mmCIF file of all heavy atoms in Angstrom:
data_model
loop_
_atom_site.group_PDB
_atom_site.id
_atom_site.type_symbol
_atom_site.label_atom_id
_atom_site.label_comp_id
_atom_site.label_asym_id
_atom_site.label_seq_id
_atom_site.Cartn_x
_atom_site.Cartn_y
_atom_site.Cartn_z
ATOM 1 N N SER A 160 -10.910 8.279 -14.877
ATOM 2 C CA SER A 160 -10.925 6.998 -15.591
ATOM 3 C C SER A 160 -11.366 7.394 -16.933
ATOM 4 O O SER A 160 -11.088 6.664 -17.912
ATOM 5 C CB SER A 160 -11.790 5.996 -14.910
ATOM 6 O OG SER A 160 -13.193 6.214 -15.195
ATOM 7 N N ASP A 161 -12.108 8.500 -17.028
ATOM 8 C CA ASP A 161 -12.588 9.029 -18.397
ATOM 9 C C ASP A 161 -13.668 8.065 -19.009
ATOM 10 O O ASP A 161 -13.938 8.333 -20.143
ATOM 11 C CB ASP A 161 -11.352 9.065 -19.336
ATOM 12 C CG ASP A 161 -11.309 10.402 -20.067
ATOM 13 O OD1 ASP A 161 -11.945 11.384 -19.534
ATOM 14 O OD2 ASP A 161 -10.784 10.465 -21.097
ATOM 15 N N CYS A 162 -14.116 7.096 -18.235
ATOM 16 C CA CYS A 162 -14.985 6.118 -18.845
ATOM 17 C C CYS A 162 -16.539 6.478 -18.477
ATOM 18 O O CYS A 162 -16.837 6.470 -17.170
ATOM 19 C CB CYS A 162 -14.577 4.770 -18.319
ATOM 20 S SG CYS A 162 -15.731 3.444 -18.631
ATOM 21 N N ALA A 163 -17.266 6.595 -19.463
ATOM 22 C CA ALA A 163 -18.626 7.127 -19.190
ATOM 23 C C ALA A 163 -19.330 6.206 -18.345
ATOM 24 O O ALA A 163 -20.029 6.561 -17.237
ATOM 25 C CB ALA A 163 -19.365 7.526 -20.450
ATOM 26 N N LYS A 164 -19.553 4.862 -18.683
ATOM 27 C CA LYS A 164 -20.347 4.028 -17.861
ATOM 28 C C LYS A 164 -19.763 3.799 -16.519
ATOM 29 O O LYS A 164 -20.565 3.474 -15.513
ATOM 30 C CB LYS A 164 -20.500 2.663 -18.636
ATOM 31 C CG LYS A 164 -21.419 2.697 -19.669
ATOM 32 C CD LYS A 164 -21.741 1.213 -20.265
ATOM 33 C CE LYS A 164 -22.745 1.237 -21.384
ATOM 34 N NZ LYS A 164 -22.834 0.029 -22.007
ATOM 35 N N ALA A 165 -18.498 3.817 -16.275
ATOM 36 C CA ALA A 165 -17.865 3.586 -14.962
ATOM 37 C C ALA A 165 -18.169 4.837 -14.155
ATOM 38 O O ALA A 165 -18.590 4.652 -12.785
ATOM 39 C CB ALA A 165 -16.426 3.540 -15.163
ATOM 40 N N GLU A 166 -18.239 6.078 -14.853
ATOM 41 C CA GLU A 166 -18.657 7.192 -13.906
ATOM 42 C C GLU A 166 -20.145 7.064 -13.428
ATOM 43 O O GLU A 166 -20.467 7.276 -12.310
ATOM 44 C CB GLU A 166 -18.491 8.359 -14.703
ATOM 45 C CG GLU A 166 -16.925 8.797 -14.953
ATOM 46 C CD GLU A 166 -16.726 9.977 -15.783
ATOM 47 O OE1 GLU A 166 -17.619 10.926 -16.062
ATOM 48 O OE2 GLU A 166 -15.671 10.005 -16.345
ATOM 49 N N ILE A 167 -20.922 6.664 -14.365
ATOM 50 C CA ILE A 167 -22.328 6.532 -14.004
ATOM 51 C C ILE A 167 -22.537 5.528 -12.949
ATOM 52 O O ILE A 167 -23.208 5.722 -12.034
ATOM 53 C CB ILE A 167 -23.233 6.154 -15.333
ATOM 54 C CG1 ILE A 167 -23.212 7.328 -16.255
ATOM 55 C CG2 ILE A 167 -24.668 5.796 -14.942
ATOM 56 C CD1 ILE A 167 -23.695 6.958 -17.598
ATOM 57 N N SER A 168 -21.818 4.351 -13.113
ATOM 58 C CA SER A 168 -21.797 3.197 -12.149
ATOM 59 C C SER A 168 -21.463 3.647 -10.790
ATOM 60 O O SER A 168 -22.253 3.422 -9.754
ATOM 61 C CB SER A 168 -21.127 2.026 -12.616
ATOM 62 O OG SER A 168 -20.992 1.055 -11.555
ATOM 63 N N SER A 169 -20.305 4.403 -10.633
ATOM 64 C CA SER A 169 -19.896 4.823 -9.505
ATOM 65 C C SER A 169 -20.785 5.775 -8.837
ATOM 66 O O SER A 169 -21.181 5.861 -7.617
ATOM 67 C CB SER A 169 -18.500 5.508 -9.524
ATOM 68 O OG SER A 169 -17.507 4.512 -9.744
ATOM 69 N N ASN A 170 -21.359 6.691 -9.674
ATOM 70 C CA ASN A 170 -22.452 7.610 -9.209
ATOM 71 C C ASN A 170 -23.575 6.916 -8.629
ATOM 72 O O ASN A 170 -24.217 7.437 -7.615
ATOM 73 C CB ASN A 170 -22.789 8.597 -10.319
ATOM 74 C CG ASN A 170 -21.839 9.699 -10.297
ATOM 75 O OD1 ASN A 170 -21.248 10.177 -9.312
ATOM 76 N ND2 ASN A 170 -21.736 10.451 -11.408
ATOM 77 N N GLN A 171 -23.924 5.781 -9.201
ATOM 78 C CA GLN A 171 -25.064 5.016 -8.634
ATOM 79 C C GLN A 171 -24.925 4.638 -7.180
ATOM 80 O O GLN A 171 -25.828 4.425 -6.304
ATOM 81 C CB GLN A 171 -25.372 3.810 -9.438
ATOM 82 C CG GLN A 171 -26.143 4.179 -10.804
ATOM 83 C CD GLN A 171 -26.246 2.886 -11.699
ATOM 84 O OE1 GLN A 171 -25.647 1.899 -11.419
ATOM 85 N NE2 GLN A 171 -27.039 3.201 -12.652
ATOM 86 N N TYR A 172 -23.661 4.647 -6.716
ATOM 87 C CA TYR A 172 -23.426 4.230 -5.298
ATOM 88 C C TYR A 172 -23.974 5.348 -4.461
ATOM 89 O O TYR A 172 -24.663 4.961 -3.319
ATOM 90 C CB TYR A 172 -21.876 4.319 -5.215
ATOM 91 C CG TYR A 172 -21.498 4.073 -3.786
ATOM 92 C CD1 TYR A 172 -22.003 3.082 -2.821
ATOM 93 C CD2 TYR A 172 -20.745 5.112 -3.029
ATOM 94 C CE1 TYR A 172 -21.623 3.121 -1.485
ATOM 95 C CE2 TYR A 172 -20.372 5.094 -1.751
ATOM 96 C CZ TYR A 172 -20.848 4.045 -0.905
ATOM 97 O OH TYR A 172 -20.519 3.958 0.471
ATOM 98 N N PHE A 173 -24.073 6.643 -4.918
ATOM 99 C CA PHE A 173 -24.666 7.639 -4.050
ATOM 100 C C PHE A 173 -26.214 7.562 -3.978
ATOM 101 O O PHE A 173 -26.807 8.370 -3.183
ATOM 102 C CB PHE A 173 -24.219 9.008 -4.537
ATOM 103 C CG PHE A 173 -22.650 9.122 -4.467
ATOM 104 C CD1 PHE A 173 -21.815 8.982 -5.488
ATOM 105 C CD2 PHE A 173 -22.126 9.528 -3.187
ATOM 106 C CE1 PHE A 173 -20.434 9.220 -5.324
ATOM 107 C CE2 PHE A 173 -20.698 9.701 -3.059
ATOM 108 C CZ PHE A 173 -19.965 9.532 -4.126
ATOM 109 N N THR A 174 -26.826 6.582 -4.616
ATOM 110 C CA THR A 174 -28.228 6.486 -4.536
ATOM 111 C C THR A 174 -28.559 5.079 -3.852
ATOM 112 O O THR A 174 -29.605 4.672 -3.872
ATOM 113 C CB THR A 174 -28.865 6.606 -5.867
ATOM 114 O OG1 THR A 174 -28.470 5.554 -6.781
ATOM 115 C CG2 THR A 174 -28.739 7.968 -6.541
#
Side-chain angles (χ1 to χ4, degrees):
S160 76
D161 228 22
C162 170
K164 282 189 180 173
E166 289 176 22
I167 293 169
S168 173
S169 283
N170 270 334
Q171 279 173 355
Y172 170 56
F173 294 98
T174 60

